[in-house]
């Protein structure tokens, strides 16, 4: 339903950040996007949500369509009305506004009659946002701010949710929690494009995955396939595909990508 076809992106004149990238996301699917720093993951999400212009970037060729409608020619507000929502990197919440106000902003694009149900669902997924509803968002912990940023995007009941490194900088337990939340959101029928530095978690919760390397699509396949592939093991999971068979060698810890990025 979401189709990215031969997309190339430039920032200014000098930086070509994506070269001829194609993949698609089926209805209700979770697709993970992996790749090292600067590979073009955030750029890809911006190309989908038509927010490149905010970063002085442009799609120089190719197209992005949702159910057959071109998105790359629409403005970001029109895309939100089509219920495609992006949670940008870096837990961007409105720090001086309360948790409740942040959620209300997220619901502005939703049909008024759907807002109450959306908020109930967000509170069910993230009880802490109900408990701390009247507090300024800036006082929440990093993990809670990430939950608020996701909750705010869910307020308009998205058909597609783009998540940019939701687990970045969070403790291991919270990373697993984010993974479960992605699964729960998806169980509600929302398709998710999950950009992650934690390849292990991302491959666990996604159906398919793509790997970007310096702006090009290097690998694509089912998440199980990629998790078993030697290249992905070596580069993103910190081991070798045949480690499991080396009975006399000590088990190699499965380092997460952030460690590999060093
Ligand atoms: N606003 C911008 N202006 C110029 N170049 C940019 C801009 N944003 C990103 N780039 C460049 O485009 C390339 C891809 O960047 P992008 O942020 O998409 O990578 P990323 O995979 O999201 O990296 P990270 O894991 O660090 O978030 C990089 O070379 C980066 O320096
Ligand atoms: Mg990024």
């Amino acid at each position: 339903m979401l189709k990215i076809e031969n997309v190339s992106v430039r920032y200014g004149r000098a930086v070509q950040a994506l070269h001829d990238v194609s993949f698609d996301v089926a209805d209700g699917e979770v697709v993970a996007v992996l790749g090292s720093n600067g590979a073009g993951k955030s750029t890809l999400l911006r190309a989908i949500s038509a927010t490149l212009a905010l970063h002085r970037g442009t799609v120089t060729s190719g197209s992005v369509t949702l159910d057959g409608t071109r998105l790359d020619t629409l403005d970001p507000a029109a895309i939100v009305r089509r219920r495609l929502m992006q949670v940008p990197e870096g837990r961007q919440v409105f720090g001086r506004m309360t948790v409740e106000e942040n959620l209300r902003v997220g619901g502005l694009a939703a049909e008024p009659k759907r807002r109450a149900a959306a908020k109930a669902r967000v509170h069910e997924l993230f009880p802490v946002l109900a408990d701390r509803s009247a507090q300024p968002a800036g006082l929440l912990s990093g993990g809670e701010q990430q939950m608020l940023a996701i909750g705010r995007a869910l307020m308009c009941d998205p058909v597609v949710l783009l998540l940019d490194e939701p687990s970045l900088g969070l403790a291991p337990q919270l990373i697993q929690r984010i993974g479960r939340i992605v699964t729960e959101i998806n169980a509600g029928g929302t398709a998710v494009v999950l950009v992650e530095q934690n390849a292990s978690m991302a491959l666990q919760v996604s159906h398919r995955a793509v790997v970007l390397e310096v702006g090009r699509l290097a690998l694509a396949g089912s998440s199980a396939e990629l998790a078993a592939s030697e290249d992905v093991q070596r580069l993103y999971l910190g081991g070798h595909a045949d480690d499991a068979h080396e009975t006399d060698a000590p088990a190699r810890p499965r380092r997460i990508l952030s460690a590999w990025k060093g």
Side-chain angles (χ1 to χ4, degrees), residues 92-230:
Q92 297 181 30
V93 297
F94 301 110
R96 290 194 198 163
M97 287 165 55
T98 65
V99 168
E100 161 71 20
E101 286 162 348
N102 270 271
L103 291 182
R104 220 182 299 153
V105 171
L108 286 178
E111 285 175 54
K113 61 175 190 210
R114 289 186 175 211
R115 285 178 194 152
K119 193 162 102 182
R121 168 118 178 90
V122 169
H123 281 171
E124 187 191 324
L125 273 174
F126 307 109
V128 66
L129 299 183
D131 297 344
R132 309 198 54 180
S133 159
Q135 290 186 16
L139 295 183
L140 300 178
S141 72
E144 289 162 349
Q145 287 184 3
Q146 185 58 267
M147 290 173 201
L148 178 57
I150 298 173
R152 192 177 53 194
L154 292 178
M155 283 296 293
C156 70
D157 190 16
V159 287
V160 182
L161 182 67
L162 312 178
L163 294 177
D164 198 345
E165 307 217 25
S167 82
L168 191 67
L170 301 184
Q173 270 190 332
L174 266 184
I175 295 176
Q176 290 310 315
R177 171 111 191 267
I178 296 277
R180 287 196 297 276
I181 284 163
V182 169
T183 301
E184 276 185 57
I185 290 170
N186 177 244
T190 301
V192 181
V193 181
L194 174 64
V195 166
E196 253 304 329
Q197 41 91 32
N198 189 316
S200 159
M201 179 271 268
L203 291 173
Q204 273 168 35
V205 303
S206 57
H207 302 105
R208 288 188 302 138
V210 298
V211 178
L212 285 177
E213 268 173 23
V214 267
R216 293 177 202 275
L217 202 73
L219 290 169
S222 77
S223 300
E225 234 164 49
L226 287 190
S229 101
E230 195 135 331

Side-chain angles (χ1 to χ4, degrees), residues 41-42 89 164-165:
K41 307 179 298 297
S42 298
E89 55 194 343
D164 198 345
E165 307 217 25

